Amino acid sequence: MQLKSIAWRAALPLPLVALALLFTLLLRQWANVPFWFMFLIAVIASAWIGGRISGWIAVILSTLSVDYFFTRPLYSLVIDPTDAPYFIAFTLSMIVGNWFGTWRQSTDVAARRTQAELESRVRAGSDELIRANRAREQAERERRIAELRWQAVFENSVVGVVLADEQGRIIASNKRYRALLGRGDGNTAGDSLAGDLAEPQRTSLNRQLAELVAGQRQRVELELPHRGGNGTPLWLRTHVTVVPGTPDFPRFLTAFCEDMSGRKHAEEALLAARSDLAHATRLTMMGELAASIAHEVNQPLSAVVTNSNAALRWLAGATPNLAEARSTINWIMRDAKRASDVIARIRALMRKAEQPLEPLNFNDVVRDSLDLVRSELARHKVEVELELDPALPTVMGERIQLQQVFLNLVINAIEAMAGVQGRPHRLFIRTASQAGEEPGIVAEITDNGPGVAKDNLEQLFAAFFTTKPEGTGLGLWISRSIIENHAGHLLALPNEDQGMRFRIVLPCTSEPAQGPAGASISGAPL
Ligand code: ADP
């Protein structure tokens, strides 16, 4: 307790007891009866207002005052035995008054404290309420801002955005998606994500969505032909993922749809241009081959003429030698067939229309192509060494296109070696199967010409790159595009000693190779 408070409590009984004494003295003048209740009031008031200390000081002061002023002998602190009972009764009543006043004061203090506590709790509670209210308002404001932002991104996105349920039914779609599908401001809710697709794409998308929902895949990414506005074809690349659910909202799918139609058209145009170029190159190549083809066809035709003369001679005698004539006619038929085979192959090479993919043995492509350049190889004194894998697996391909690639590589090798003097010209052709993750076949054409520096190998495949005065620079470019269209690779590698090595890699089907297995021919010039 503070000193100031103690002094105040000690001083409080003085005026109260003094007032009680004064009134009691005045009343004695008037009635000559001691009205001690005034002291009782002073004691109770002191204890009530000032507490225990004030109460006891008031008791002492009142007792002393009554002893001095009202107990015989008067004006002395001595007590006459006859007044002692009254005095003791007075003192006891003062003590009781003090107890009563102190009790009231303590209950008042407790009540005030309780009230203060209550008030402070109410105040704290209402502060907390205000704070909670403010936080709620702030959260609500932030939620509204986030929603507005999200809405702006959703609606103004340059790609189509769709939210769909686990069955692929649209919950909401943005403006771009509706515009792509020609739905304007129409409602797409409830439509299926795959709804505008034709079969088998519809089943394929639905199956992949089901796998996504079942957790068998992380995402669905497809490029599919949808039906755009006015029924025009629309290529959409659709990327779908699952958004996990919350206690209030089940999980759902988000699909982002990008319009790939422009790119598709450009790709188609590029393919058409490549096809035209390929055709042009094929014709150019045919020009270059014309001489050797003429030679190739001329040989059997001359044989046909010679053998026809011989047959006529066998028949012209007095006794025609029918056996010899028959055998000569058989030779004629064989040579005519050879000439017609060559023509058929040339015609196939010149045909522009795309051939269907067919399962084929690459060894056959090698042999057929070599047949076409047989005389060219002989003219340039090129020794061909073949190492063809007899167990080569089947590849799916367009026979004529693959022949075109192979021929291009062989002719390039012949031309490269033509400038080399002082060593035999060797062409080594090898095929082999390739195991591993991507099973396939490898075909390599290795020459011992001048070769190309390691750093310049990639530029050989650039369109219009040529080092030949009459070259087009398109052969390797087209060859690579053909092989890549077959999902394969065409690589240029430096040969270890001298010259170049080109490697064709093609993926294979699981079927075993059909047709006769290629025999290994080593060191046999063709
Ligand atoms: P072109 O034969 O019309 O020049 P290609 O695209 O077929 O066009 O070949 C491009 C270039 O690659 C050739 O000009 C030549 O310089 C180089 N090249 C191709 N094959 C070989 C090879 N076997 N050895 C050395 N250089 C080659």
Side-chain angles (χ1 to χ4, degrees):
M1 206 182 290
Q2 285 177 345
L3 204 62
K4 206 169 142 195
S5 156
I6 295 171
W8 172 80
R9 281 160 198 265
L12 174 70
L14 291 176
L16 294 176
V17 173
L19 268 175
L21 178 62
L22 190 67
F23 273 105
T24 310
L25 285 173
L26 286 174
L27 285 170
R28 191 174 63 177
Q29 294 297 319
W30 174 62
N32 202 20
V33 181
F35 289 101
W36 292 350
F37 67 91
M38 286 296 190
F39 289 101
L40 189 61
I41 292 170
V43 167
I44 290 173
S46 299
W48 196 327
I49 299 167
R52 199 182 305 277
I53 295 173
S54 302
W56 280 112
I57 292 174
V59 169
I60 292 164
L61 289 178
S62 300
T63 316
L64 288 175
S65 302
V66 166
D67 182 12
Y68 191 78
F69 289 103
F70 304 106
T71 311
R72 277 170 299 188
L74 296 178
Y75 309 118
S76 141
L77 292 177
V78 180
I79 300 164
D80 190 302
T82 50
D83 281 357
Y86 294 106
F87 182 73
I88 290 166
F90 170 78
T91 308
L92 287 176
S93 64
M94 289 306 113
I95 291 171
V96 171
N98 179 28
W99 172 82
F100 176 73
T102 310
W103 172 74
R104 283 300 312 163
Q105 198 253 4
S106 67
T107 47
D108 273 7
V109 167
R112 272 202 301 278
R113 194 174 296 144
T114 311
Q115 188 175 351
E117 259 173 34
L118 215 65
E119 279 173 4
S120 99
R121 265 194 218 162
V122 169
R123 244 194 327 272
S126 67
D127 281 357
E128 207 164 290
L129 213 65
I130 290 169
R131 266 199 306 278
N133 247 346
R134 280 204 196 118
R136 197 181 49 73
E137 277 169 19
Q138 177 70 12
E140 176 66 14
R141 217 177 4 257
E142 278 168 12
R143 194 187 61 74
R144 265 204 317 275
I145 292 172
E147 196 174 301
L148 280 175
R149 279 196 197 128
W150 183 85
Q151 192 76 20
V153 173
F154 179 73
E155 274 305 330
N156 300 316
S157 167
V158 290
V159 295
V161 186
V162 181
L163 310 184
D165 65 14
E166 289 185 329
Q167 281 70 46
R169 280 190 304 262
I170 298 178
I171 302 167
S173 62
N174 73 345
K175 248 191 306 202
R176 176 70 178 147
Y177 179 77
R178 294 191 298 272
L180 283 171
L181 293 189
R183 302 290 294 269
D185 286 335
N187 187 9
T188 52
D191 291 358
S192 163
L193 262 178
D196 62 311
L197 287 170
E199 288 297 354
Q201 287 89 347
R202 182 190 303 198
T203 310
S204 161
L205 177 58
N206 282 333
R207 182 179 42 77
Q208 295 202 23
L209 289 180
E211 286 170 6
L212 178 71
V213 170
Q216 289 161 357
R217 52 168 70 229
Q218 296 282 304
R219 68 183 69 84
V220 170
E221 215 168 340
L222 287 170
E223 212 168 297
L224 295 172
H226 289 254
R227 211 177 22 246
N230 314 328
T232 48
L234 168 76
W235 279 91
L236 286 187
R237 174 182 289 172
T238 306
H239 182 113
V240 192
T241 46
V242 178
V243 179
T246 64
D248 327 317
F249 205 78
R251 64 188 189 143
F252 62 96
L253 309 177
T254 52
F256 294 89
C257 307
E258 203 181 339
D259 183 5
M260 304 306 288
S261 308
R263 212 202 63 190
K264 268 273 171 228
H265 291 150
E267 270 176 15
E268 275 161 17
L270 188 69
L271 270 179
R274 271 193 195 173
S275 163
D276 286 347
L277 267 174
H279 181 58
T281 321
R282 231 175 277 173
L283 291 180
T284 314
M285 209 184 318
M286 289 313 300
E288 289 169 8
L289 285 174
S292 60
I293 289 159
H295 177 76
E296 193 78 10
V297 177
N298 210 24
Q299 250 188 354
L301 285 183
S302 330
V304 166
V305 173
T306 316
N307 284 329
S308 303
N309 283 332
L312 283 176
R313 271 200 308 278
W314 289 121
L315 295 173
T319 47
N321 190 335
L322 291 181
E324 285 295 347
R326 190 176 296 116
S327 134
T328 314
I329 290 169
N330 274 338
W331 282 106
I332 294 171
M333 277 173 61
R334 196 204 59 190
D335 286 334
K337 172 122 187 8
R338 225 175 99 199
S340 122
D341 279 356
V342 172
I343 303 285
R345 251 183 246 137
I346 309 299
R347 284 185 59 196
L349 199 63
M350 290 191 74
R351 219 177 299 133
K352 185 181 171 199
E354 285 199 357
Q355 304 293 310
L357 292 187
E358 52 177 315
L360 49 87
N361 186 326
F362 201 82
N363 289 340
D364 295 340
V365 174
V366 174
R367 284 198 209 90
D368 290 350
S369 310
L370 288 177
D371 272 353
L372 285 171
V373 283
R374 191 183 289 268
S375 60
E376 198 68 6
L377 288 164
R379 197 158 63 86
H380 285 91
K381 300 192 175 52
V382 176
E383 291 175 19
V384 178
E385 188 179 336
L386 286 181
E387 193 181 293
L388 303 183
D389 183 352
L392 202 64
T394 307
V395 293
M396 289 299 286
E398 204 182 305
R399 187 178 295 274
I400 301 300
Q401 280 200 347
L402 293 179
Q403 260 183 27
Q404 183 189 341
V405 172
F406 195 81
L407 268 179
N408 191 42
L409 297 177
V410 172
I411 290 170
N412 273 349
I414 297 173
E415 286 176 351
M417 291 187 290
V420 173
Q421 307 293 327
R423 62 171 185 254
H425 299 161
R426 289 216 173 91
L427 191 61
F428 175 59
I429 296 170
R430 181 179 86 91
T431 59
S433 28
Q434 179 176 266
E437 270 182 27
E438 288 177 18
I441 63 117
V442 178
E444 282 183 351
I445 296 144
T446 310
D447 65 57
N448 67 345
V452 172
K454 210 166 154 193
D455 293 342
N456 300 335
L457 290 176
E458 261 313 294
Q459 74 175 1
L460 304 186
F461 295 97
F464 305 112
F465 173 81
T466 180
T467 54
K468 302 169 193 166
E470 302 296 319
T472 60
L474 290 171
L476 288 177
W477 183 65
I478 289 173
S479 298
R480 180 174 263 184
S481 85
I482 290 175
I483 295 297
E484 285 177 354
N485 280 345
H486 283 76
H489 309 286
L490 173 60
L491 308 166
L493 308 162
N495 195 10
E496 272 126 41
D497 308 329
Q498 69 249 121
M500 279 292 298
R501 175 181 305 179
F502 283 91
R503 179 181 294 163
I504 297 170
V505 182
L506 287 171
C508 69
T509 59
S510 49
E511 298 165 40
Q514 298 296 311
S520 237
I521 307 168
S522 271
L526 287 160

